[in-house]
């Protein structure tokens, strides 16, 4: 029942609806006592032969009236209690979503998307059930159960009441046992559902790869197995659930047997009238629901508690990268100094960056090259504070990177990642992502700078063409250039192109780089690339190997070295020559 205390904040917030709902519920519980009593009275009059027509009409009227009032009131408490519980899932859903958007990339590295989706759907509905059906069954079973027992004991016979309650402790034991079993099996079923969700999400996202490698059958088989597992585990839940009702029926049956056997004896003794016995057994019938409800309550609350725990754990997940209390509320300039002695990814042991030291003044261009896996992207991820925890210093405008508010830092940087992502929206909206208020001219000028304007005009819908997962298919190069336009629209202090020109041809690359040089006066640009032609005009070029700088300088400096850079440069030139037929 701890979950009800944990949900206290919500009940407080919705106290008006809950209090009126519960009061109506209590009133209905009392009103329920009327019909059995009336039936008993009528039965006694029939038995004595003292029944009259008017009397019968009057009692029938009482029965109908109480039935009608209960019908209307039941509608209202349902609206109040269930209506409020829907609000709870909305509040939690909003909180969870908001929290998801603030969590660091490292959180998404260790979590599975399908799992997170399962929390946002299944778990929230289990919590909502606790606040709705849970509260209802708790109040209803306690009040109906309590009032009925009181009515039996005080208006009919306390002896008979005690006798018929003998099987009750067994009921409590069984309920608690079933509850534990259900909790365990439900937890397993939920976990299995999460895995299935995860698998489905991954397969649909990676469907192109699956098809290209002809792995459909294997994937379907994998899905079938996971799906079967979900069914198997849910069947276990259903079996325990189904065993519960018949078991309860046996106990209720024993209770009925005891009350009729002893009741008949009391009637024969003259301790009880036949009408009272009829009322008593009808009351006993009213007790079945609260007893069953008590079992369900256990079930609902167990599910709710497990789900609430999981959601609360997620909500407690710390945002790893946070602002210092006195963080500066200004956008940093593009002067950058790296003094990083070592950086290791969280949970790893091998350092990925070692002794990275260089200076970059605002307005300069930095080129970073090196083999795949040499640490180029990692170096940039530290710059945008996607990861922290390096040894050494990283300064912006002479101040440590932490000195700035994260929001301001991100405003200063236009980052175009390798794995660009376009939303299912128009091209214009995708470009204006960071600044939805941007004018048409600003959008088009960013697109021109990124050398994609002409391509966009070729589409029938122009800038209004829908792209992304549900839109037209763009070439890799087009997607890259739209992502670059998106970053350029911000006119950032620091533009970071992380291998973002890999899918465009050499000529387009040259055109983009030339327009960047002309239009980004005074602003810093950082480019990583496999193609050395992309960075040869940079003020500073770093060559990385295994996370360390092995060469640095301008193109001319590096060409006078007999190192990796010169060898690679000549090699790539030769390749280009061959591509163009040796001209
Ligand atoms: P590059 O951009 O030069 O190809 P990266 O910076 O992407 O190189 O990767 C450098 C190394 O860091 C690789 O060995 C890669 O496996 C490792 N790495 C990259 N990202 C992570 C991460 N999030 N967690 C752990 N290791 C990582």
């Amino acid at each position: 029942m701890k979950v009800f205390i944990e949900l206290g904040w919500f009940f407080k917030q919705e106290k008006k609806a809950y209090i009126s709902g519960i009061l109506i519920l209590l009133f209905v519980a009392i009103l329920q006592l009327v019909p059995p009593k009336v039936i008993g009275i009528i039965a006694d009059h029939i038995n004595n032969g003292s029944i009259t027509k008017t009397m019968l009409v009057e009692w029938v009227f009482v029965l109908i009236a109480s039935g009608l009032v209960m019908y209307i009131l039941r509608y209202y408490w349902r609206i109040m209690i269930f209506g409020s519980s829907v609000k709870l899932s909305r509040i939690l859903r909003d909180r969870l979503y908001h929290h998801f958007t603030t969590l660091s990339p490292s959180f998404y590295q260790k979590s599975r998307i399908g799992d997170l989706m399962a929390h946002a759907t299944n778990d929230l509905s289990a919590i909502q059930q606790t606040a709705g059906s849970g509260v209802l069954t708790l109040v209803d079973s306690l009040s109906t159960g309590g009032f009925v027992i009181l009515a039996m004991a005080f208006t009919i016979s306390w002896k008979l009441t005690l006798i018929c309650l003998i099987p009750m402790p067994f009921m409590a034991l069984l309920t608690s046992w079933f509850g534990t079993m259900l909790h365990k099996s439900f937890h397993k079923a939920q976990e299995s559902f999460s895995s299935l969700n995860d698998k489905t999400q991954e397969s649909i996202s990676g469907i192109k790869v699956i098809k290209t490698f002809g792995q459909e059958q294997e994937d379907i088989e994998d899905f079938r197995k996971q799906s079967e597992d979900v069914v198997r585990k849910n069947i276990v839940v259903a079996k325990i659930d189904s065993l519960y009702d018949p078991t309860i029926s046996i106990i209720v049956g024993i209770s009925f047997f005891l009350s009729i056997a002893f009741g008949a004896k009391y009637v024969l003794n003259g301790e009880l009238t036949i009408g009272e016995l009829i009322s008593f057994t009808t009351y006993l019938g009213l007790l079945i629901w609260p007893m069953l409800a008590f079992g369900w309550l256990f079930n609902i609350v167990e599910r709710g508690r497990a789900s609430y725990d999981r959601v609360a754990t997620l909500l407690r997940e710390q945002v790893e990268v946070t602002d210092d209390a006195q963080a500066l509320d200004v956008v940093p300039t593009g002067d950058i100094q790296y003094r990083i002695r070592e950086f290791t990814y969280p949970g790893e042991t091998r350092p990925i960056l070692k002794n990275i030291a260089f200076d970059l003044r605002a307005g300069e261009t930095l080129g970073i090259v090196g083999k795949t896996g040499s640490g180029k992207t990692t170096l940039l991820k530290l710059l945008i504070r996607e990861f922290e925890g390096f040894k050494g210093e990283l300064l912006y405008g002479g101040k440590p990177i932490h000195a700035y508010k994260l929001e301001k830092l991100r405003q200063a940087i236009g980052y175009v990642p390798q794995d660009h992502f376009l939303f299912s929206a128009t091209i214009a909206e995708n470009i204006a992502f960071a600044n939805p208020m941007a004018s048409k001219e600003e959008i088009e000028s960013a697109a021109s700078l990124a050398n994609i304007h002409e391509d966009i005009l070729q589409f029938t819908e122009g800038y209004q063409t829908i792209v992304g997962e549900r839109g037209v298919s763009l070439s890799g190069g087009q997607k890259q250039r739209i992502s670059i336009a998106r970053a350029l629209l911000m006119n950032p202090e620091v533009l970071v192109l992380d291998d973002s020109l890999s899918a465009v041809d050499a000529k387009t690359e040259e055109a983009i780089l030339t327009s960047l040089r002309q239009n980004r006066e005074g602003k810093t640009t950082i480019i990583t690339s496999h193609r050395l032609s992309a960075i040869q005009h940079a003020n500073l070029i770093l060559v990385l190997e295994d996370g360390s700088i092995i060469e640095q300088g301008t193109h001319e400096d590096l060409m006078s070295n007999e190192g990796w850079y010169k060898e690679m440069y000549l090699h790539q030139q030769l390749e280009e020559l061959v591509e163009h037929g040796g001209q």
Side-chain angles (χ1 to χ4, degrees):
M1 299 294 153
K2 210 178 86 208
V3 66
F4 286 122
I5 298 171
E6 282 172 330
L7 283 173
W9 60 270
F10 174 72
F11 297 132
K12 232 184 239 162
Q13 193 176 317
E14 294 292 319
K15 64 172 177 275
K16 250 163 89 189
Y18 272 101
I19 290 177
S20 8
I22 288 174
L23 285 179
I24 300 178
L25 198 66
L26 292 177
F27 185 66
V28 172
I30 295 174
L31 212 58
Q32 271 183 55
L33 303 176
V34 175
K37 200 74 203 157
V38 170
I39 292 169
I41 293 171
I42 297 175
D44 271 343
H45 281 293
I46 296 174
N47 197 31
N48 301 341
S50 60
I51 188 108
T52 65
K53 203 169 162 195
T54 19
M55 190 192 273
L56 194 64
V57 171
E58 273 169 20
W59 283 123
V60 168
F61 177 76
V62 172
L63 282 181
I64 293 176
S66 60
L68 213 62
V69 173
M70 282 195 280
Y71 177 83
I72 295 169
L73 292 182
R74 279 192 174 128
Y75 170 77
Y76 280 104
W77 64 243
R78 278 195 160 81
I79 297 252
M80 281 165 184
I81 295 180
F82 287 126
S84 302
S85 70
V86 179
K87 285 191 199 155
L88 175 63
S89 67
R90 195 202 67 210
I91 295 174
L92 288 178
R93 199 179 314 125
D94 287 353
R95 265 193 212 169
L96 205 57
Y97 189 76
H98 179 257
H99 197 61
F100 280 161
T101 60
T102 60
L103 287 171
S104 320
S106 55
F107 167 78
Y108 290 98
Q109 197 176 327
K110 69 179 186 216
S111 316
R112 297 176 311 161
I113 301 294
D115 209 23
L116 298 180
M117 308 247 279
H119 291 313
T121 50
N122 266 3
D123 278 345
L124 291 191
S125 80
I127 299 170
Q128 177 187 327
Q129 254 204 336
T130 306
S133 315
V135 170
L136 164 76
T137 27
L138 176 69
V139 178
D140 200 22
S141 56
L142 285 183
S143 59
T144 305
F147 290 144
V148 169
I149 291 175
L150 288 180
M152 286 156 86
F154 289 103
T155 70
I156 303 175
S157 157
W158 63 266
K159 260 200 294 186
L160 198 55
T161 308
L162 282 183
I163 292 171
C164 83
L165 289 182
I166 290 173
M168 295 306 147
F170 297 103
M171 173 100 94
L173 280 177
L174 276 173
T175 305
S176 117
W177 182 75
F178 273 113
T180 318
M181 295 276 289
L182 261 175
H183 175 58
K184 280 189 192 148
S185 56
F186 179 69
H187 188 74
K188 283 185 192 153
Q190 195 78 329
E191 266 181 356
S192 172
F193 178 73
S194 272
S195 304
L196 180 71
N197 232 348
D198 206 53
K199 200 241 150 353
T200 313
Q201 190 266 341
E202 201 170 279
S203 291
I204 292 177
S205 304
I207 191 76
K208 284 185 193 152
V209 179
I210 293 174
K211 281 185 178 292
T212 322
F213 284 88
Q215 292 297 305
E216 292 99 324
Q217 280 317 317
E218 286 77 357
D219 193 60
I220 290 171
E221 179 58 20
D222 208 24
F223 180 84
R224 199 185 54 75
K225 274 194 202 137
Q226 296 243 16
S227 181
E228 249 171 32
D229 190 58
V230 173
V231 172
R232 210 176 21 248
K233 289 186 175 146
N234 274 292
I235 286 179
V236 175
V237 176
K239 273 187 184 158
I240 300 176
D241 224 5
S242 335
L243 213 63
Y244 181 72
D245 289 2
T247 315
I248 295 296
S249 299
I250 292 181
I251 296 184
V252 171
I254 295 175
S255 216
F256 266 101
F257 171 77
L258 290 175
S259 40
I260 291 178
F262 283 85
K265 191 174 134 230
Y266 294 149
V267 171
L268 290 179
N269 287 350
E271 279 180 61
L272 221 59
T273 67
I274 186 88
E276 281 172 330
L277 183 59
I278 292 178
S279 295
F280 190 88
T281 49
T282 320
Y283 278 141
L284 199 55
L286 283 186
L287 266 187
I288 299 178
W289 149 247
M291 289 176 193
L292 284 179
F294 217 72
W296 288 330
L297 175 69
F298 220 85
N299 179 349
I300 293 168
V301 170
E302 281 294 326
R303 284 185 199 194
R305 194 183 58 113
S307 291
Y308 193 75
D309 282 352
R310 273 195 295 265
V311 171
T313 310
L314 270 183
L315 285 174
R316 270 198 304 272
E317 188 72 44
Q318 292 291 327
V319 178
E320 274 174 27
V321 178
T322 48
D323 283 337
D324 284 349
Q326 319 85 344
L328 298 172
D329 205 3
V330 292
V331 178
T333 59
D335 285 302
I336 295 170
Q337 284 168 293
Y338 265 77
R339 295 286 181 275
I340 291 186
R341 291 198 302 281
E342 199 177 282
F343 171 71
T344 309
Y345 275 107
E348 305 282 326
T349 48
R350 187 174 62 98
I352 296 296
L353 293 178
K354 284 159 287 184
N355 301 321
I356 303 288
F358 63 89
D359 292 354
L360 203 61
R361 278 201 304 277
E364 288 188 335
T365 299
L366 170 72
I368 308 175
V369 292
K371 290 190 204 117
T372 308
S374 57
K376 301 183 292 293
T377 302
T378 306
L379 196 148
L380 300 178
K381 286 193 168 158
L382 298 185
L383 190 73
I384 58 173
R385 268 186 92 184
E386 210 177 287
F387 285 94
E388 307 205 288
F390 51 80
K391 293 192 184 128
E393 270 191 324
L394 209 174
L395 307 176
Y396 265 96
K399 297 198 178 64
I401 189 167
H402 310 97
Y404 298 92
K405 280 196 167 166
L406 194 58
E407 180 199 344
K408 295 291 164 189
L409 182 73
R410 300 255 158 95
Q411 267 177 30
I413 303 170
Y415 179 57
V416 187
Q418 281 169 358
D419 45 354
H420 41 71
F421 183 85
L422 297 185
F423 296 93
S424 296
T426 65
I427 293 181
E429 284 165 338
N430 265 293
I431 295 178
F433 179 67
N435 176 14
M437 304 306 283
S439 68
K440 188 163 170 280
E441 288 70 36
E442 288 173 304
I443 295 175
E444 291 187 5
S445 126
S448 301
L449 273 181
N451 221 276
I452 183 75
H453 179 66
E454 301 300 326
D455 288 51
I456 296 174
L457 294 184
Q458 300 290 315
F459 297 124
T460 341
E461 305 278 329
Y463 278 85
Q464 298 311 312
T465 309
I466 304 270
V467 293
E469 298 197 342
R470 275 174 286 141
V472 298
S473 283
L474 299 176
S475 74
Q478 285 171 331
K479 284 189 208 160
Q480 282 189 337
R481 281 176 287 154
I482 290 178
S483 306
I484 294 173
R486 178 192 284 167
L488 285 176
L489 185 88
M490 295 166 62
N491 193 22
E493 291 296 326
V494 184
L495 174 71
V496 182
L497 302 180
D498 188 1
D499 208 11
S500 345
L501 293 164
S502 56
V504 300
D505 59 69
K507 239 174 82 193
T508 315
E509 175 189 275
E510 181 58 38
I512 296 175
L513 292 171
T514 309
S515 61
L516 286 185
R517 270 200 297 282
Q518 288 161 356
N519 285 278
R520 286 189 50 76
E521 194 124 341
K523 310 240 158 155
T524 309
T525 306
I526 301 179
I527 305 171
T528 75
S529 175
H530 284 102
R531 216 185 280 145
L532 302 191
S533 57
I535 49 100
Q536 64 173 315
H537 298 292
N539 304 84
L540 176 68
I541 298 169
L542 306 178
V543 180
L544 290 191
E545 193 176 284
D546 281 337
S548 302
I549 299 177
I550 51 165
E551 288 176 74
Q552 65 172 308
T554 60
H555 173 72
E556 289 68 33
D557 297 339
L558 298 182
M559 286 307 280
S560 60
N561 268 358
E562 293 301 321
W564 183 90
Y565 185 88
K566 182 176 179 185
E567 189 187 330
M568 204 60 187
Y569 186 80
L570 295 177
H571 178 78
Q572 288 188 357
Q573 287 237 305
L574 200 65
E575 256 180 8
E576 207 171 313
L577 212 62
V578 173
E579 256 174 44
H580 290 88
Q583 307 279 309

